[in-house]
Amino acid sequence: MAFISRIMKIAGAVAALTAVAAPAAAEPAAKELFGRMPLPSVSEPASVGFYSKGCIAGAVALPTDGETWQAMRLERNRRWGHPKMIALLERLSREAVQDGWPGLLVGDIAQPRGGPMLSGHASHQVGLDADIWLTPMPKRTLTRSERANTSATSMLKKDSLHVDTKKFTPAHARLLKRAASYDEVQRIFIHPGIKEAMCEAYGGSRANDDWMNKLRPYYGHHYHFHVRIFCPDDSPNCRPQQSTGSGNGCGKSLAWWFTDEPWAPAKPEPGKKPVKPRAVTLSDLPPACARILGEPAPADASLVTYVDGYDPTLARATAVPVKAPAIPGNRVPVLVPIPAAKPN
């Protein structure tokens, strides 16, 4: 098949994946390849490419449950990230509880080998992004069904760009402050209305500028916030995002979001037919992503779940070859492992 040619030209060590020359137009979408990989590679951790155009080697899984977090949407198999990302989420969950937050509900991080997703995000491709719900963690453990079907709560007033103060509380503000305070965090995407509320709470002191500047208003993000960390030192082929600059972001740039301009639909050019977006293929991603796609996988998800005592050498010692991902015509989802604590 044509897709095997593109995937495994570089990953020739996996004998089951043979190469057949084919034109680029015959390639499947990269999201079909990465979205159907159930487990990560067992190589050294490395984020490759840009947040919205790349992949990750050596990803680890956030455990399904911790004392101070619960992972949501388990059926998506997006609990994977760079070890530094997973460590930061676990740290944030513990320290947020100390601030009075009940615990984190963690949404999408990345797929096992990163890359474009079957649905949803354009980013989250290199294991350095994570979504955290603004809904507090309940006192009980949610069922798998509840994690799949429970909706996050919007912080906005109905039909408004501004927060509802009955929903967005000082505890929410402290959670965002804590997340933005970490040196590893490059930026946090939040709704303009939430940024406005943070400016009202903390914008008066210039001492808060360093972390306030990381809170970036963007479309959506009224029911969760999106944490993005810097490219790690172990990832020389990770492409960083531009600096957020200086100041607290509470001036003209924020005021613009409350004008008509950012919400007005784009006007089509007269006489120009709309162009259907071309699907991103493997050849559009950094060359290393083809190799990462074909690298061996751990024998079991528990071997690459980030818990106390996690030992990556054990996963590498028990690695098994991977097969080309099946891409059924009816898009039946692949069965995915559920990250959990490593068994004793």
Side-chain angles (χ1 to χ4, degrees), residues 95-294:
E95 295 183 354
V97 166
Q98 296 172 11
D99 295 336
W101 188 253
L104 301 183
L105 295 181
V106 181
D108 290 352
I109 306 171
Q111 296 172 150
R113 302 187 188 212
M117 293 184 173
L118 287 170
S119 62
H121 315 279
S123 60
H124 290 255
Q125 293 193 27
V126 293
L128 304 177
D129 296 285
D131 289 342
I132 299 173
W133 289 23
L134 288 165
T135 304
M137 188 182 84
K139 294 181 179 180
R140 63 181 180 83
T141 301
L142 297 172
T143 66
R144 183 176 174 85
S145 176
E146 287 174 321
R147 296 174 201 234
N149 298 300
T150 299
S151 296
T153 303
S154 172
M155 297 291 105
L156 303 181
K157 297 175 183 176
K158 186 177 181 180
D159 300 323
S160 170
L161 296 176
H162 306 282
V163 300
D164 184 338
T165 54
K166 294 179 181 179
K167 298 178 180 177
F168 187 80
T169 66
H172 288 88
R174 290 194 299 271
L175 173 62
L176 288 170
K177 177 182 179 182
R178 171 68 70 176
S181 70
Y182 297 137
D183 291 339
E184 303 96 315
V185 172
Q186 203 271 351
R187 62 184 66 205
I188 294 176
F189 297 104
I190 55 175
H191 188 277
I194 296 177
K195 175 70 177 186
E196 178 187 51
M198 294 298 289
C199 287
E200 291 173 355
Y202 297 102
S205 173
R206 309 315 301 185
N208 296 326
D209 283 6
D210 284 348
W211 66 264
M212 276 286 293
N213 180 263
K214 297 179 185 180
L215 301 177
R216 314 301 291 184
Y218 200 66
Y219 301 100
H221 299 89
H222 51 90
Y223 56 91
H224 75 277
F225 62 99
H226 175 158
V227 178
R228 174 168 292 172
I229 66 173
F230 287 99
C231 288
D233 293 338
D234 61 13
S235 303
N237 294 319
C238 176
R239 184 161 67 87
Q241 189 163 13
Q242 72 272 21
S243 169
T244 55
S246 59
N248 60 16
C250 296
K252 292 182 179 179
S253 61
L254 176 60
W256 175 79
W257 285 96
F258 297 95
T259 67
D260 292 336
E261 184 178 354
W263 311 101
K267 295 181 180 179
E269 296 183 28
K272 186 175 182 180
K273 294 182 179 180
V275 179
K276 184 178 180 180
R278 183 180 70 84
V280 173
T281 63
L282 187 61
S283 59
D284 294 317
L285 301 179
C289 292
R291 171 181 55 79
I292 290 169
L293 198 60

